[in-house]
């Protein structure tokens, strides 16, 4: 098991050496090399993140339905490599990107990327997004497949696995933010993208070398097809009467090739009609397991929607904070610190707190609450959303201070040189680290754990879709705010143009803070009503309590 984790973790680390720094530093590439404006570069990045998360659905569908998670990684890992290689090629050849220019002194002469070069840029970005998304959908599920949920010891190890999986993401991000970002800013974007491509290639080779060690979940057909069949059968049987005894429903036959048998649960009675047993009449019906798979997805929908709203500030802060930092004093003594490198602050915090959380906090909280993870996954997510609201509030205050300094020194027409240390942004970075330690891990484990065994990759893809939809929602919000605020005297929206000093980013941050508080209360409403599929408390086999009453646990537990 330990050797297998090593192969798996190498891919996690290598993948994030490439993805994390480029996700955060890409906005500087688009502005500095491709000469895009503030909002266009920001929305391009959020669309790229959204696409990567959206493509996770494709990877999940393929790995759950037709090919194993292991093969999905082997197929789409090279696609990820190809995307970075195209980015490196475009950055290397002068004919494939706009000519260099002085963004301050010759702003009107700076030509934005267009035509064939623009098409090549988007092809490279979305090729990367395709490979990245499909690999990300399969990696956590492949790791989760190595643990047996029916074994109490392995169940605890599985909870620890997701903490260490996130640690691998943070470690890869730390290496990328210190190495890849420095290379891109000092040695050239072509070399930086090339190093990223090499990291992906090494990760794929590491996973491939563990081929003989993995427990592979063999696909049993498309889970999406099974869900559609349930709705069709339920509609056809809508006029029939449900039998009072659930044993009369269509249960799984002994010769059925299924991954997991799911018991009948209450709720969504209209779907139960899909499993009405028609006997030997030849009329087609679904099994109880198929119906229960569909119920699982429907029960998670309110959590999915509410967490998309709750995650909105994260992609917004990731992009605009880097743009804020690019206008400020980036010196630490004689060393220039890239704004994207500041993300090392939350990454280091994530790695430290994840180790402390897994080794000390969880065992301590477990003894108090009785939950396997110390607290439930949805409680952990809620803590992160509260930190997210605080992060946007802090970001608004810092941006207001930055704008005051700009006005005092008459720097409205300049894009850099604001005499304010970039380390003023450290607190909002720190709070983003709390969001990743809590909401990121909590959601990943929640969607993966609640999904049935035949839909694990779909469950992981739903998690990435939360991040992707939040990024796309951020793009939509920026566009809508610009349109709604364009009627002013200047004719400019809050976030339009290439000069952040003329924008109203602080007002935008306050708007996002209000939206996040509304999203937090909405999330709490649905989270309190969610009923877990598996009891999140410690199995009786692992407790030392002899009290008979303590062994009487419910089948399902609300948060």
């Amino acid at each position: 098991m330990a050797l297998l984790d090593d192969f798996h973790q190498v891919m996690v680390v290598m993948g994030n050496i490439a993805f994390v720094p480029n996700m955060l530093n890409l906005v500087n590439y688009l502005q500095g090399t491709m000469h895009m404006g503030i909002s266009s570069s920001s929305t391009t990045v959020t669309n790229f993140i959204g696409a990567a998360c959206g493509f996770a659905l494709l990877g999940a569908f393929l790995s759950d339905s037709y090919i194993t998670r292991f093969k999905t990684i082997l197929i789409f890992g090279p696609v990820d490599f190809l995307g970075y290689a195209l980015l490196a090629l475009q950055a290397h050849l002068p004919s494939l990107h706009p000519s260099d220019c002085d963004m301050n002194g010759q702003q009107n002469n700076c030509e934005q990327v267009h035509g064939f070069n623009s098409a090549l840029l988007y092809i490279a970005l979305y090729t990367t997004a395709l490979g990245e998304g499909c690999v990300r959908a399969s990696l956590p599920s492949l790791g989760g497949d190595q643990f047996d949920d029916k074994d109490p010891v392995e169940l605890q190890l599985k909870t620890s696995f997701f903490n260490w999986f996130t640690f691998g993401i943070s470690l890869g991000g730390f290496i990328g933010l210190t190495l890849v970002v420095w290379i891109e800013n000092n040695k050239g974007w072509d070399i930086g993208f090339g190093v990223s491509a090499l990291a992906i290639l090494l990760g794929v080779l590491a996973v491939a070398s563990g081929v003989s060690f993995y427990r592979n979940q063999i696909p049993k057909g498309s889970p999406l097809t099974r869900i559609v069949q349930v709705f069709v059968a339920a509609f056809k049987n809508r006029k029939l009467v449900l039998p009072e005894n659930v044993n009369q429903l269509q249960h799984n036959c002994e010769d059925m090739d299924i991954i997991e048998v799911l018991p009948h649960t209450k709720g969504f009675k209209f779907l139960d009609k899909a499993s009405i047993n028609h006997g030997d009449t030849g009329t087609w019906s679904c099994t109880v397991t198929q119906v229960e798979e569909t119920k699982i997805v429907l029960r998670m929908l309110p959590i999915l929607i509410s967490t998309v709203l709750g995650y909105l500030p994260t992609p917004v802060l990731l992009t605009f904070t880097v743009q804020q930092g690019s206008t400020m004093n980036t010196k630490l003594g004689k060393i220039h610190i890239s704004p994207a490198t500041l993300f090392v602050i939350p990454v280091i915090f994530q790695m430290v707190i994840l180790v402390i959380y897994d080794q000390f906090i969880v065992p301590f909280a477990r003894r108090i609450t009785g939950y396997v993870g110390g607290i439930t996954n949805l409680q952990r997510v809620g803590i992160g959303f509260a930190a997210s609201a605080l992060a946007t509030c802090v970001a608004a205050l810092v941006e207001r201070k930055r704008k005051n300094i700009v006005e005092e020194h008459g720097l409205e027409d300049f894009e850099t040189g604001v005499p304010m240390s970039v380390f003023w942004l450290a607190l909002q970075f720190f709070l983003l680290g709390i969001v990743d330690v809590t909401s990121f891990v909590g959601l990943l484990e929640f969607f993966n754990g609640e999904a049935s065994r035949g839909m694990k990759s779909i469950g992981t893809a739903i998690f990435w879709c939360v991040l992707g939809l939040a990024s796309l929602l951020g793009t939509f919000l920026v566009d809508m705010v610009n349109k709604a605020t364009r009627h002013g005297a200047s004719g400019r929206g809050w976030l339009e143009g290439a000069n952040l000093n003329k924008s109203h980013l602080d007002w935008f941050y306050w708007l996002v803070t209000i939206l996040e508080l509304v999203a937090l209360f909405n999330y709490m409403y649905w989270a309190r009503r969610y009923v877990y599929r598996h009891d999140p408390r410690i199995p009786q086999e692992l407790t030392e309590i002899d009290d008979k009453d303590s062994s009487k646990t419910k089948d399902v537990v609300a948060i």
Side-chain angles (χ1 to χ4, degrees):
M1 185 71 72
L3 181 61
L4 184 149
D5 284 341
D6 290 341
F7 293 128
H8 184 270
Q9 282 294 87
V10 168
M11 182 63 198
V12 174
V13 173
M14 289 297 174
N16 285 282
I17 286 176
F19 184 72
V20 172
N22 285 298
M23 175 183 68
L24 300 176
N25 207 28
L26 184 61
V27 67
N28 285 332
Y29 175 68
L30 297 177
Q31 280 190 286
T33 303
M34 297 300 173
H35 303 157
M36 290 185 174
I38 293 173
S39 61
S40 59
S41 58
S42 175
T43 53
T44 298
V45 173
T46 52
N47 287 340
F48 167 70
I49 298 171
C53 298
F55 280 128
L57 278 176
L58 173 63
F61 174 76
L62 292 175
S63 62
D64 277 345
S65 307
Y66 303 110
I67 57 178
T68 63
R69 284 139 200 170
F70 175 74
K71 290 181 180 178
T72 302
I73 295 171
L74 292 188
I75 292 172
F76 287 97
V79 174
D80 199 6
F81 168 83
L82 176 61
Y84 283 114
L86 287 175
L87 286 171
L89 178 66
Q90 183 172 33
H92 181 72
L93 297 178
S95 61
L96 297 180
H97 59 76
S99 302
D100 294 338
C101 69
D102 186 349
M103 296 293 287
N104 282 326
Q106 305 178 36
Q107 183 175 342
N108 293 332
N109 295 328
C110 290
E111 183 183 26
Q112 182 172 323
V113 64
H114 66 281
F116 173 79
N117 291 348
S118 178
L120 179 61
L121 173 65
Y122 286 109
I123 289 173
L125 286 176
Y126 288 103
T127 300
T128 303
L130 172 62
E132 182 70 29
C134 292
V135 169
R136 280 179 175 263
S138 302
L139 267 177
S141 300
L142 178 63
D145 286 345
Q146 313 312 310
F147 303 93
D148 185 358
D149 289 341
K150 296 180 180 179
D151 186 322
V153 176
E154 290 199 16
L155 182 61
Q156 279 198 0
L157 291 175
K158 185 176 181 179
T159 298
S160 184
F161 161 77
F162 285 104
N163 287 328
W164 287 106
F165 176 83
T166 308
F167 180 87
I169 294 176
S170 298
L171 179 60
F174 173 78
I175 297 172
L177 289 170
T178 52
L179 176 63
V180 176
V181 169
W182 182 85
I183 291 174
E184 290 174 343
N185 293 337
N186 294 277
K187 299 300 181 181
W189 287 95
D190 52 345
I191 300 177
F193 289 136
V195 170
S196 300
L198 179 61
I200 294 296
L201 181 60
L202 292 176
V204 173
L205 292 175
V207 171
S209 64
V211 60
S212 61
F213 298 95
Y214 291 111
R215 295 176 182 173
N216 282 307
Q217 189 72 59
I218 306 302
K220 303 296 183 181
S222 169
L224 299 181
T225 301
R226 296 195 295 268
I227 290 173
V228 172
Q229 288 174 341
V230 169
F231 282 107
V232 172
F235 179 79
K236 289 177 60 178
N237 296 342
R238 66 189 183 280
K239 295 182 180 180
L240 301 180
V241 179
L242 275 172
E244 295 183 3
N245 188 351
V246 296
N247 292 325
Q248 296 177 357
L249 297 175
Q250 177 67 38
H251 288 270
N252 308 297
C253 300
E254 293 182 358
D255 58 347
M256 280 187 173
D257 191 14
I258 59 175
I259 298 176
E260 180 184 9
V261 177
L262 300 176
H264 178 268
T265 60
K266 296 180 180 179
F268 300 106
K269 288 188 175 181
F270 68 96
L271 291 179
D272 287 335
K273 291 187 176 183
S275 59
I276 292 178
N277 194 335
H278 296 281
D280 298 328
T281 61
T283 304
W284 170 74
S285 63
C286 298
T287 66
V288 170
T289 292
Q290 281 182 271
V291 173
E292 292 305 316
E293 274 190 327
T294 307
K295 288 182 180 181
I296 289 171
V297 174
L298 291 180
R299 288 187 180 113
M300 289 195 297
L301 274 181
I303 300 297
L304 168 64
I305 296 171
S306 60
T307 51
V308 168
L309 299 175
Y311 239 103
L312 171 63
T314 299
V316 170
L317 282 170
L318 288 178
T319 54
F320 283 116
T321 298
V322 174
Q323 294 188 56
Q324 282 178 278
S326 64
T327 70
M328 300 165 73
N329 179 10
T330 60
K331 286 186 177 181
L332 178 61
K334 295 183 179 180
I335 303 174
H336 281 277
I337 304 295
S338 168
T341 303
L342 283 182
F343 280 95
V344 167
I345 296 172
V347 166
I348 292 175
F349 170 74
Q350 289 168 30
M351 290 191 291
V352 172
I353 199 64
L354 279 168
V355 174
I356 295 174
Y357 184 85
D358 185 75
Q359 297 298 311
F360 301 102
I361 297 178
V362 170
F364 176 75
R366 187 182 290 152
R367 288 194 293 268
I368 297 175
T369 65
Y371 292 124
V372 174
I375 57 176
T376 66
N377 292 325
L378 294 182
Q379 288 171 345
R380 192 171 180 177
V381 172
I383 294 172
F385 287 165
S388 185
L390 183 58
T392 52
C393 179
V394 169
L397 294 173
V398 172
E399 174 61 10
R400 183 64 262 169
K401 179 176 178 60
R402 193 192 70 85
K403 287 293 295 291
N404 288 338
I405 294 175
V406 167
E407 294 167 2
E408 289 172 5
H409 291 79
L411 299 173
E412 290 88 346
D413 293 328
F414 296 88
E415 296 184 20
T416 58
V418 179
M420 178 180 176
S421 174
V422 73
F423 287 95
W424 275 90
L425 303 174
L427 182 56
Q428 62 204 66
F429 280 115
F430 177 79
L431 291 169
L432 281 176
I434 294 179
V435 174
D436 278 345
V437 168
T438 52
S439 294
F440 186 93
V441 184
L443 280 176
L444 177 59
E445 189 171 353
F446 170 77
F447 285 117
N448 187 275
E450 290 299 293
S452 65
R453 291 186 64 185
M455 298 178 64
K456 290 297 183 184
S457 293
I458 294 291
T460 303
I462 290 175
F463 162 73
W464 291 116
C465 280
V466 168
L467 307 187
L469 290 173
S471 296
L472 297 177
L473 186 60
T475 299
F476 174 78
L477 181 62
V478 169
D479 290 340
M480 289 300 101
V481 166
N482 279 335
K483 289 180 181 179
T485 58
R486 198 172 288 152
H487 60 273
S490 64
R492 291 164 50 96
W494 283 1
L495 303 171
E496 285 188 318
N499 191 341
L500 195 65
N501 293 338
K502 293 183 178 181
S503 73
H504 295 288
L505 182 58
D506 53 336
W507 296 356
F508 180 72
Y509 278 150
W510 284 122
L511 173 63
V512 175
T513 301
I514 295 171
L515 293 176
E516 177 65 4
L517 289 173
V518 174
L520 174 60
F521 286 111
N522 176 64
Y523 168 79
M524 291 171 61
Y525 174 84
W526 293 109
R528 287 179 63 86
R529 284 157 178 76
Y530 185 81
V531 177
Y532 287 96
R533 189 164 75 93
H534 297 296
D535 191 335
R537 290 177 289 191
I538 303 173
Q540 182 64 24
E541 294 90 331
L542 295 181
T543 64
E544 298 178 355
I545 301 173
D546 295 325
D547 188 356
K548 294 182 179 180
D549 292 335
S550 66
S551 65
K552 297 179 180 179
T553 56
K554 298 178 181 179
D555 292 334
V556 289
V557 179
I559 181 175

